[in-house]
Structures are given as structure tokens and as C-alpha cells.
Amino acid sequence: MVAFVASIAAGNALKVGDSLYLPDASVAQLRDFYADSGAAVLVQSALQVLAAVALYRFGWRLRTALRAEGTRAGAVMGWATAITAGSLLASVLCGLALLLVVAQAGDTTVAGLGRAALVLGGAAHLLGSGLLITAASAVAWRSHRRPRWVFAYGRFVGPLVAASALSVLLPPLVRPEPAFRLLAAVWLVGVGIGVLRRGLADTRSGLPSSPIEGRA
């Protein structure tokens, strides 16, 4: 979360001219932004790669801590982790490709890369996040893990975050994407704090259910 938020702040601080809003950006605006704000794109990309790697590690370690391997929910968590981290990384690669070819590429290529970056970093990323939140919260809730409020919240919010991927079919849904990201961020931070404070303990025993959780 720190890396992702820092990428947005760094991008805004280093950009030249107006910010780029991908859903409404024209080919001319894409060309101008990537031609003038190369430093912003590079720094933002580096931080988002870090965020993608951290998110991947988080998802797999959470799956292990919840002892979900070999279960249907565990399989969903695995695929969701790959989707949410992989789509963010793929979106970064599209942005870097734009930076490299924006000066000489045709309008169709520029528009296509911009659209791909938008879908991968938006709808696909949120779909994976929503599935991860939903599956992990369901497992944790059934096994009485703490913090209870985080997993109760996740059972409600996860499907909403996943449903935001409908923006691919309904473009107006792109605009509230920041709100869905915030909902997901609250869950991620809540789980992180819970791990640091209680180690995903079972509420029935008050003790961590595995050494991994106790050390987390």
C-alpha cells in the first residue's frame, strides 16, 4: 500500500503539465504526457512493480497462514493473487511500452496500449483483489480468525470490489474505481495490522494457529 500510494504521489510531483486521466485521454494527450513526463512514468512504474511483488507475497503468505492449500477457497486465493499482482505488473509494462514507442507508433498502437494499461491496472486488478478479499475472508471467518471485524468487512466488500470489473462492459463504472481501491486498501491494512498485533489468532483459543502466524 505504501509503494502504491507513493507511486501516485511521485507521479504527480514529477509530471510535466496536466495529469493524465486514462479513461478520457485522447491519443494526442497520451503522446504529450509520455513525451514530456518520462521521469514521472519511470519512478511511478518502479514503485508499482514493488507494490505488485509485495502484493503477490502477501497473497501467498496469507494463503499459507490460513492453511487454505488444497481447498477450493485456497485455489481461488492463489488465482486471485496471481491476477491482482500480475495485472498490476502488466499495466506497468504497458505504460513503459508507451514510453518507448509513443513518438513513432501509430495512433492505433498508442490508443491500444493506453486502453490495455487502463483495463489491466483497473478492472483486472480490482477483480483479482475482490476475489482475494472474498476468499480469504470466508476462510478466516469460518476458522474464527482475528481480527473478526476485518474478515466480516471483507465478506461484504470483496464482492463489491470484484464487481467493479464490470467497468469493462460499463465504462461509467471506471469513475468510482478509486473508491473501490480504497475499500480494498482498508482490508489490506486491517489484515496487516491484525497480523502484527495478534498473528491471525483463532478467537476460540486466543493463540496463533501456526508458527508462521505467530511470527508475522
Side-chain angles (χ1 to χ4, degrees):
M1 284 307 306
V2 171
F4 187 81
V5 172
S7 75
I8 297 173
N12 287 330
L14 296 173
K15 67 179 175 61
V16 176
D18 296 331
S19 297
L20 181 69
Y21 182 59
L22 273 177
D24 295 336
S26 65
V27 171
Q29 289 173 322
L30 284 167
R31 290 189 189 279
D32 289 343
F33 181 83
Y34 280 90
D36 298 336
S37 300
V41 173
L42 289 173
V43 172
Q44 189 171 55
S45 296
L47 289 168
Q48 290 190 4
V49 167
L50 178 60
V53 171
L55 184 56
Y56 183 81
R57 286 175 54 83
F58 170 84
W60 282 100
R61 289 178 68 86
L62 180 61
R63 180 172 177 259
T64 299
L66 293 176
R67 295 182 176 177
E69 300 97 327
T71 67
R72 182 176 299 178
V76 173
M77 288 180 66
W79 280 106
T81 297
I83 291 170
T84 191
S87 60
L88 181 58
L89 180 59
S91 176
V92 170
L93 294 177
C94 287
L96 292 174
L98 263 174
L99 185 62
L100 290 174
V101 306
V102 71
Q104 66 269 21
D107 287 355
T108 301
T109 300
V110 172
L113 286 171
R115 175 63 179 171
L118 172 65
V119 172
L120 289 167
H125 176 66
L126 288 171
L127 174 62
S129 298
L131 292 175
L132 176 60
I133 292 169
T134 302
S137 296
V139 172
W141 184 262
R142 288 196 299 267
S143 55
H144 301 272
R145 303 304 183 93
R146 294 173 178 165
R148 296 295 279 167
W149 76 266
V150 171
F151 299 118
Y153 167 84
R155 294 171 73 198
F156 171 73
V157 164
L160 290 178
V161 175
S164 69
L166 289 172
S167 62
V168 173
L169 302 176
L170 302 171
L173 289 179
V174 171
R175 292 189 176 277
E177 277 187 358
F180 290 114
R181 291 184 190 275
L182 180 60
L183 293 176
V186 170
W187 185 85
L188 288 167
V189 173
V191 172
I193 293 174
V195 168
L196 291 172
R197 292 183 61 189
R198 300 189 181 102
L200 297 183
D202 187 323
T203 57
R204 294 169 296 185
S205 67
L207 298 173
S209 60
S210 79
I212 292 177
E213 296 162 32
R215 291 196 303 270

